[in-house]
Amino acid sequence: MMKEIMRFQVVCLLLVLLSATVFLKNVKDRYEKFIKQHIYENMTADKCDAEMQKRKISILPNGKCKPTNTFVRANNKTVKSICEGKGERYGEMTKSLQRFDIVVCRLKPRAKKPPKCQYSGTKISQKKIIIKCENGYPVHYDGDIDHSEN
């Protein structure tokens, strides 16, 4: 009887460890996707079209062109630090304490059909960004906040 209880406990422990590993892998996969879609330290407004194509983020799963995408002009470590204490709660999200330059890429009006998605960009200076953090990793870009807002 004691042997069966110990086996059961070991199986339970293994299941907990396995599910934690799967969860963490999922978070890291979402973090990698976040980096691909939103982080580029040297991004400029004139690179929108090329970067959207190069990173293969211009076409949505439904087959349509992605209408907008925002790039944060910072490195991965700086943005990740928002989820590690350099940010503050903002509803369900986290708001950066520091300001970032961002580049917003918008789909050109006459280029709305894949594979011909074409983008123009606008550089915007000094915005606080709003992201979703999971287990210390940014996994979703939710928006930015203007100077007039905190």
Side-chain angles (χ1 to χ4, degrees), residues 19-148:
S19 63
T21 303
V22 169
F23 175 77
L24 191 55
K25 182 183 179 339
N26 182 37
V27 169
K28 287 186 178 181
D29 288 347
R30 292 178 66 206
Y31 173 56
E32 291 299 321
K33 182 180 177 185
F34 173 86
I35 291 169
K36 179 181 175 182
Q37 289 186 329
H38 300 293
I39 306 300
Y40 185 17
E41 193 167 11
N42 299 315
M43 184 64 178
T44 60
D46 62 333
K47 292 182 183 177
C48 276
D49 199 40
E51 279 305 309
M52 294 291 287
Q53 306 305 327
K54 178 179 156 188
R55 293 174 180 234
K56 296 181 169 74
I57 57 175
S58 61
I59 300 175
L60 296 170
N62 65 8
K64 295 184 179 182
C65 294
K66 186 173 187 178
T68 75
N69 191 73
T70 302
F71 288 97
V72 179
R73 291 178 38 102
N75 62 47
N76 302 349
K77 185 178 177 183
T78 302
V79 176
K80 188 175 183 289
S81 73
I82 297 167
C83 297
E84 299 170 327
K86 303 267 178 153
E88 62 188 7
R89 296 292 300 158
Y90 191 78
E92 296 289 316
M93 303 291 164
T94 303
K95 177 176 66 171
S96 65
L97 298 176
Q98 76 179 82
R99 296 181 186 278
F100 295 90
D101 290 344
I102 61 174
V103 174
V104 180
C105 300
R106 288 189 175 81
L107 185 63
K108 290 180 179 177
R110 300 193 197 285
K112 292 188 176 185
K113 292 189 179 170
K116 305 244 186 219
C117 308
Q118 294 180 330
Y119 295 85
S120 59
T122 306
K123 181 182 174 214
I124 304 171
S125 298
Q126 300 300 296
K127 296 274 200 163
K128 289 186 177 182
I129 61 171
I130 303 164
I131 60 177
K132 180 174 180 67
C133 297
E134 286 184 10
N135 277 26
Y137 293 94
V139 296
H140 172 73
Y141 182 88
D142 201 59
D144 52 79
I145 298 177
D146 205 347
H147 288 291
S148 60

